[in-house]
Amino acid sequence: MDSLRIEATSCSPLIDFDAAAGVLRIEGESYPENSFDFYAPVFTWLEEFLKEPAPPVVLEIGLSYLNTSSIKCMIDVLEMLDGAHQKGHTVSVRWHYDSDNDRALDMAEEFAEDVSLPFEILAH
């Protein structure tokens, strides 16, 4: 399966999904004009990726800001991965946040509460 890469812009994050390595990276700020349009290729790619026998998957998130619609999209991504985890896939999340940003920590903790897959929250 091909990897997926969407370059970051001033209002949308880098999306870098390496199918061979099983590493999915989302980094930057996420407040595109239409979050659902922006994340549509992410959902499509993940759906296809998770159909195939896959290597262990690690979602590396480094988002400093998400608007409300981006939060909904991130919940959808996490639910897709959580579903795969519940079916026996090896899936985990590593959420990186700025230690000076208490709101980012709170948001990561809220996301972690909504899933059953392994979820690390890492300050930097």
Side-chain angles (χ1 to χ4, degrees), residues 18-90:
D18 183 335
V23 176
L24 319 177
R25 282 192 314 134
I26 303 176
E27 296 178 353
E29 294 188 350
S30 186
Y31 56 97
E33 188 171 319
N34 188 322
S35 296
F36 300 103
D37 285 349
F38 176 79
Y39 283 97
V42 172
F43 300 139
T44 301
W45 189 92
L46 261 180
E47 191 174 295
E48 288 302 311
F49 180 74
L50 294 172
K51 282 182 186 174
E52 301 174 9
V57 175
V58 178
L59 175 59
E60 296 274 355
I61 300 175
L63 292 168
S64 56
Y65 175 78
L66 291 91
N67 66 3
T68 303
S69 58
S70 291
I71 289 171
K72 171 63 176 124
C73 292
M74 191 55 50
I75 289 168
D76 292 346
V77 166
L78 290 169
E79 286 178 348
M80 290 175 80
L81 292 172
D82 198 41
H85 170 72
Q86 291 174 11
K87 292 177 183 171
H89 287 273
T90 302

Side-chain angles (χ1 to χ4, degrees), residues 81-103:
L81 292 172
D82 198 41
H85 170 72
Q86 291 174 11
K87 292 177 183 171
H89 287 273
T90 302
V91 181
S92 62
V93 174
R94 294 171 48 94
W95 191 292
H96 304 267
Y97 76 98
D98 182 341
S99 60
D100 293 332
N101 186 343
D102 291 339
R103 288 182 54 221

